Each structure stands twice: as structure tokens, then as C-alpha cells.
Amino acid sequence: MSRSLKSLLVVVTLLAAAGLACLGAAGLIGSHVDASGVLRDPFALIAGGSLLIVASAVVAAGYLLWQGLAACFARKRRFYR
């Protein structure tokens, strides 16, 4: 496995783990309505966790798309030679 693929896997794994940790923390904290009728919930953790999970998916998809395009163009170059 190449060094760039290893580092990409580490980045994607860390992003996804951080996102899941944020969503888990938001679930553990929970939400409630205080005495004055205001909803108290950890919205930043929910939004941040979702963003981190989507970012990990985008990074992984971008890498796979890049590798697919590179392989496609490499095959075309060999074909025309």
C-alpha cells in the first residue's frame, strides 16, 4: 500500500471517528426544555458531527475518483503509443 493511500485512510478514519464521537456525545448529553421554556440541545455537536462524516465521505470519494481518472488516462496513453 502506498504512503499516500495510508495517510488518506488515516485522515478519513479520523474524520469519521471524530464525527461519530460528536454525534455520540450529542446523544449522551441529550436535549431538554428548561424552566423558562427554552430548548437546550447540543446543536453544535450534531451539526459538527454530521459535517465531519460528510467531509470524510467527500475526501474518500474524491480520492477514488482521482485514482479512477488517473487509471483511465494512463490506459489511454499506453493504447496510443
Side-chain angles (χ1 to χ4, degrees), residues 2-78:
S2 69
R3 184 175 178 184
S4 64
L5 181 59
K6 285 181 185 179
S7 62
L8 178 85
L9 286 175
V10 167
V11 168
V12 168
T13 303
L14 287 176
L15 283 173
L20 290 175
C22 286
L23 291 177
L28 286 175
I29 293 170
S31 61
H32 64 279
V33 179
D34 63 5
S36 62
V38 177
L39 176 65
R40 302 291 180 178
D41 63 341
F43 181 73
L45 288 175
I46 297 169
S50 300
L51 250 149
L52 287 169
I53 290 173
V54 168
S56 70
V58 166
V59 168
Y63 178 78
L64 291 174
L65 181 66
W66 183 263
Q67 290 300 315
L69 287 174
C72 179
F73 286 121
R75 268 188 255 131
K76 282 188 177 181
R77 266 190 257 134
R78 282 192 307 239

